[in-house]
């Protein structure tokens, strides 16, 4: 509906010029969707804001604006309500024309960016030799949805997986690997360490209980940092084992084009980064460590809070790696926007790291850097989701259980309806619904809130859930099957005719799609897409209840079939931006 808003704003600006002359030369009308559809489609509250400047009552200003509006093809003559609210209703002909353009556009009227940006999204980022857990789920699917939306709008997106593949813990892991699998370093065959979490726990126990092993682990850190061939090979074997496990989960979640650029990628840049921070006076030495102190950041005692980039033993901190990564992304990737999809608990670290990079002159004000934080996944007890033994829930186990729940739910529904389906179809649909349910349940909520994980709620056919949205899509497609009509091949020269109020509401909802996507690239809230799709499906259900489709006379029949097809296309594209595929039947 951006076209409509722009037309309204331009008309109001001209009217203000005619009514009040140069006093409102820089007037920018405020136009928003009407809070109540009974009053119109849009509302302008600018009269209230102008009252002080013009020394007039808001209603008098609103009357002047409306009386000076020139006739317009897009909207009816506005009405004035209350103290000076200007209510605007779009003309039927304008809506029909907009829809007629959309139906011939595979992008549903959503324009590609005229000036595409280079957008980098830092997401997922699990640690090598550890399992991905529910926290990684949130970072992965929120980041993926934001990336898909930017890409659909025509921007160039680079999705980066900043995996934890470097650090002192690798000395422990390499020492364990060399002791348990010595032949692995002399063979070209792929190594299978079995359960990586068990291997990590085993090496940690060995590290804590064996003094000699602990010494060897420390030596392995030095060897690794010195590029010793055997230690480097052992490190590669560990990384590859983890990578295979990660890739399987990314395949299940349909995460595509995720580029791994781990902490090790920036290892050779750290010394130069810290040296430049010191030479620029951004970092200083404090108690043997090299730190950045930023205005306004204090510890609990009210003293300056340090951002440590290099410890007093010479080791580099995460801050050094993150600053080097940010600098590389600006200077080598030419990023216009860098989005960190990282848990809310990392907010302070990211704020300080980004400000340090700005202070060093490596990031200009033209580069947008945003922390897209998110809350925790909770169990039924309201605490962080854990296994019965108190451990963090593994993502693989969670997804497997979701598919199993979806299968049981599907079998129950088929039994109730006395329907028989092939094993292949049931497996495919269970997998699709189970994974979609998990993703949608997460993405449909404001990312900053914690949420209680509930298979029963997320698999429900009622409410704002993935199965409900899938069913809405299937229901539209069912109209085509019932009428033996391929909705995608309707006559493109046909004209949409709007008559019933439910047709108007459905039409306006379809045309709001682009506005919602633009909003997501500003707010980084994928739940806005879910809310939009849920409203769309409800408006379609209302339309379908009051407007016969297959039994309608021409040209109304084709017009309503086109509305059905536009609804299905919008649901399909919208769900794809959430990383969810929709089935043709359920």
């Amino acid at each position: 509906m951006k076209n409509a808003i722009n037309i309204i704003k331009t008309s109001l600006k001209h009217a203000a010029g005619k009514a009040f002359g140069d006093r409102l030369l820089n007037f920018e009308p405020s136009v928003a969707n009407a809070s109540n559809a009974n009053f119109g489609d849009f509302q302008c509250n600018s009269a209230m804001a102008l009252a002080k400047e013009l020394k007039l009552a808001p209603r008098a200003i609103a009357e002047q604006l409306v009386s000076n509006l020139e006739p317009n093809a897009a909207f009816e003559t506005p009405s004035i309500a209350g103290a000076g609210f200007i209510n605007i209703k779009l003309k039927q002909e304008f809506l029909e024309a907009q829809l007629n353009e959309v139906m011939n556009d595979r992008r549903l009227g959503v324009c590609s960016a005229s000036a595409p940006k280079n957008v980098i999204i830092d997401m997922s980022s699990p640690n090598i030799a550890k399992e991905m857990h529910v926290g990684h789920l949130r970072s992965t699917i929120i980041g993926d949805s934001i990336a898909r939306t930017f890409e659909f709008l025509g921007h160039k997106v680079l999705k980066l997986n900043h995996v934890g593949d470097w650090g002192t813990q690798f000395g422990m892991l390499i020492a364990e690997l060399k002791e348990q699998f010595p032949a692995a370093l002399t063979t070209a065959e792929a190594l299978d360490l079995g359960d990586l979490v068990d291997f990590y726990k085993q090496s940690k126990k060995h590290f804590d209980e064996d003094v000699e092993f602990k010494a060897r682990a420390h030596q392995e850190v030095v060897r690794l940092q010195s590029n010793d061939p055997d230690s480097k090979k052992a490190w590669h074997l560990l990384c590859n084992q983890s990578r295979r496990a990660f890739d399987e989960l990314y395949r299940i979640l349909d995460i595509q084009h995720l580029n791994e650029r781990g902490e090790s990628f920036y290892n050779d840049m750290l010394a130069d980064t810290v040296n430049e921070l010191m030479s620029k006076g951004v970092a200083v030495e404090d108690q043997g460590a090299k730190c950045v102190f930023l205005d306004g950041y204090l510890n609990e005692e009210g003293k300056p809070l340090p951002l440590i980039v290099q410890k007093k033993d010479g080791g580099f901190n995460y801050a050094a790696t993150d600053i080097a990564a940010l600098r590389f992304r600006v200077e080598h990737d030419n990023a216009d926007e860098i989005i960190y999809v990282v848990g809310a608990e990392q907010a302070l670290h990211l704020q300080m790291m980004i400000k340090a990079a700005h202070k060093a002159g490596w990031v200009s004000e033209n580069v947008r850097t945003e922390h897209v934080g998110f809350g925790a996944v909770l169990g039924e007890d309201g605490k962080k989701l854990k296994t019965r033994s108190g451990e963090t829930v593994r993502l693989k186990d969670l997804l497997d259980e979701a598919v199993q729940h979806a299968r049981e739910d599907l079998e129950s529904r088929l039994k109730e309806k006395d329907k028989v389906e092939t094993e292949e179809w049931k497996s495919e649909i269970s997998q699709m619904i189970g994974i979609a349910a998990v993703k949608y349940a997460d993405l449909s909520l404001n990312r900053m809130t914690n949420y209680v994980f509930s298979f029963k709620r997320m698999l429900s056919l009622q409410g704002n859930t993935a199965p409900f949205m899938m069913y809405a899509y299937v229901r539209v497609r069912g109209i085509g099957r019932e009428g033996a009509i391929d909705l995608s091949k309707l006559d493109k020269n046909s004209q949409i005719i709007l008559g019933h109020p439910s047709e108007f509401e459905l039409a306006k909802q379809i045309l709001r799609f682009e506005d919602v996507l633009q909003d997501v690239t500003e707010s980084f809230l994928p739940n806005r897409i879910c809310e939009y799709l849920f409203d769309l499906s409800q408006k379609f259900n209302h339309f379908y209840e009051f407007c016969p489709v297959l039994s309608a006379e021409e040209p109304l029949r084709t017009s309503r079939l086109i509305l059905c097809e536009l609804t299905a296309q919008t649901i399909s594209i919208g769900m794809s931006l959430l990383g969810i595929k929709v089935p043709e039947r359920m």
Side-chain angles (χ1 to χ4, degrees), residues 463-498:
N464 191 12
T465 65
F468 177 84
M469 290 310 310
M470 289 173 156
Y471 185 74
Y473 175 82
V474 168
R475 186 178 188 185
V476 181
R477 285 286 173 246
I479 294 171
R481 286 193 292 272
E482 183 183 345
I485 302 165
D486 185 344
L487 298 182
S488 66
K489 294 182 180 178
L490 292 169
D491 185 0
K492 299 297 183 182
N493 295 316
S494 301
Q495 295 295 302
I496 289 178
I497 305 164
L498 302 176

Side-chain angles (χ1 to χ4, degrees), residues 124-137 140 161 163-164 173 192-201 238 241-250 252 387 391-400:
S124 195
S125 307
N127 289 317
I128 294 295
K130 293 184 180 180
E131 290 275 10
M132 289 177 69
H133 53 73
V134 291
H136 295 119
L137 169 71
T140 303
N161 198 6
V163 296
L173 293 166
D192 184 1
L193 293 174
D195 191 311
L196 270 177
V197 173
D198 288 344
F199 181 81
Y200 184 90
K201 289 178 179 177
L238 288 163
Q241 171 90 1
S242 279
R243 196 171 287 118
R244 288 194 295 273
F246 297 159
D247 287 347
E248 174 60 15
L249 284 169
Y250 293 138
I252 292 170
T387 63
E391 296 180 344
T392 302
V393 176
R394 301 195 312 176
L395 182 53
K396 180 68 166 63
D397 294 340
L398 186 83
L399 297 178
D400 286 345

Side-chain angles (χ1 to χ4, degrees), residues 551-567:
S551 62
E553 298 292 329
E554 292 293 359
L556 201 56
R557 183 176 187 266
T558 297
S559 172
R560 289 177 176 173
L561 285 170
I562 292 171
L563 279 176
C564 292
E565 173 63 9
L566 288 174
T567 300

Side-chain angles (χ1 to χ4, degrees), residues 344-385:
E345 68 277 4
Q346 294 295 320
L348 180 61
H349 166 77
L350 288 170
Q351 285 174 19
M352 295 182 74
M353 179 274 293
I354 291 169
K355 287 191 176 182
H358 274 277
K359 194 173 181 180
W362 295 327
V363 183
S364 73
E365 295 300 326
N366 295 327
V367 178
R368 183 185 185 192
T369 52
E370 295 284 348
H371 173 208
V372 175
F374 49 84
V377 183
L378 308 179
E380 299 284 356
D381 59 0
K383 298 178 181 178
K384 277 193 175 183
L385 191 63

